[in-house]
Amino acid sequence: MAVTYFTEDHEWLRVEDGIATVGITDHAQDQLGDLVFVQLPEVGQTLAKGDAAVVVESVKAASDVYAPVDGEVTEVNEAAASDPALVNSSAVADGWLWKMKLADTNQLTGLLDEAGYKAIIG
Amino acid sequence: MGAEVNPETDELKSLPLGDLHEAANARFGGFAGWSMPITYPLGVMKEHLHTREKAGLFDISHMQLFEIAGKGAAALLSRACPLYAGSLATGQSKYTLFLNEQAGIIDDLIVTRLGDERFMVVANAGNAAVDEAHLRELGKDFNAGIDALDRVFLAIQGPQAADVLQTAGIAGTDLEFMHGYEPQPGWFMSRSGYTGEDGFEIGLPEADARALVAKLLADDRVTWIGLAARDSLRLEAGLCLHGQDITPEIDPVDAGLTWAISKQVRGQGGFIGSEALQAKLAAGSGRKRVGLKPEGRQPVRSGATLVDAGGNPVGIVTSGGYGPSAGHPVAIGYVEKALATTDSQVFAEIRGSRIALHVHPLPFVTHRYHKG
């Protein structure tokens, strides 16, 4: 059974069987505007919580997407890299960015649930 | 007046039509001291493409109109700008510059001759206060009045702009490109713009502007376009943004803007900065403003250092982003003269990865001005 978490940095992660699928929230894609470039991490790369894992660039500006937890990248969404608009049209589903194997499931307790995230963005 | 952020409150000034942009669900951001509509719900990409396809409506009321009038008006402008203002025909507009004594570019402007002794100057928002002080200081030596006008300033840009205005019953669509006039008291209209497309700019009192906007938006070919798309449109069109691509530290020779200064004016001088410009023309340029096309899809932004294959610094990016019509990232920057030829390769370091850029002819997207 998958559980979805959120961060204050406008990422979501869906955790199932120790693997987290990570993306940016719909609010984040709306704030960024039309994306034109997505730079994904490498499969096998080890990320520490807070590392800049992905760069997304809109027409106007570049933004980092941070690793919400520690872990190793197991898969990246090439479809998002080849068509960045996918992240705008489907931020929380087809527009996911990478999957990672969790190093420490205890880190999940510090994250937000959907109600907590919605309270932050107002 | 001017475009300074109020130092007391740090507050941004609101556009006179700000309520209309709010009603249109614009997203606002600060630019040159003004709270400006950056994007509308359509989004920058579609706003950009809409302008190139149909007609985009821009609120550029942050820009400043100055009316210069009097027996000495032409002489004042010929001193302030590398221009013989007196040789402009009535109705003719000219892209020109305010230069400092070092021939650095204080601002770029459009000057239009309205009559024998009257001219309209359109200046950038970010420089409005500096420009006004500069004009008033110079104006002491000339018999000319300088009036900073309080107007709403709108631009309608795109291949269908003329037809939209005509359909709305607005006079002036017979203007040639880079010509302007006063269609009625308090109005100033020119066929010009900053997108590379055909279009018009109209300065007018607020009440008239509200009526005009309502009329134009009733045409389904017209939609509001924000400042983000204005920037990507002008960047594709290879047009300079003052404060980025041209500054008081950059002269017209390096900037590739000597086309705006006639040979006669260059030779005879008389304008501020003429000696420095003549010296620069004689000595030649060490660096040149060029178009740059990054390889791949990642935009290279303003401020990125450019290096050659050996890693030696050879230039800087002054404007960069994505070109929705070009379909690839686009940039403008300065490179050493030896590299300022089409297809020369330079590199930028972005987050540890090296991106190749090629010098690319400007504009990236062909201008479609109305040449009559």
Side-chain angles (χ1 to χ4, degrees), chain A residues 41-52:
Chain A
E42 311 249 332
V43 171
Q45 191 178 334
T46 303
L47 296 172
K49 180 177 175 168
D51 284 354

Side-chain angles (χ1 to χ4, degrees), chain A residues 1-117:
Chain A
M1 163 82 193
V3 182
T4 304
Y5 301 87
F6 295 83
T7 73
E8 292 176 9
D9 296 320
H10 310 287
E11 291 123 17
W12 57 264
L13 56 163
R14 193 159 44 241
V15 180
E16 192 164 20
D17 300 330
I19 301 286
T21 304
V22 186
I24 63 170
T25 64
D26 193 54
H27 174 76
Q29 72 74 22
D30 183 56
Q31 291 290 319
L32 291 168
D34 296 310
L35 295 184
V36 296
F37 177 76
V38 173
Q39 187 174 49
L40 297 168
E42 311 249 332
V43 171
Q45 191 178 334
T46 303
L47 296 172
K49 180 177 175 168
D51 284 354
V54 162
V55 179
V56 292
E57 300 231 14
S58 68
V59 176
K60 279 297 283 177
S63 307
D64 289 319
V65 182
Y66 305 106
V69 290
D70 300 349
E72 184 188 322
V73 177
T74 58
E75 198 179 337
V76 294
N77 188 2
E78 297 292 354
S82 62
D83 178 19
L86 186 62
V87 180
N88 290 115
S89 61
S90 182
V92 296
D94 298 344
W96 62 276
L97 297 173
W98 78 93
K99 297 187 183 190
M100 62 196 295
K101 188 172 176 12
L102 298 181
D104 177 5
T105 52
N106 287 327
Q107 287 181 327
L108 296 173
T109 54
L111 300 175
L112 301 165
D113 61 8
E114 188 166 8
Y117 178 67

Side-chain angles (χ1 to χ4, degrees), chain B residues 285-300:
Chain B
S285 184
R287 56 178 179 167
K288 276 290 187 191
R289 184 174 63 91
V290 294
L292 295 159
K293 182 185 174 190
E295 267 177 24
R297 303 182 58 149
Q298 184 165 18
V300 179

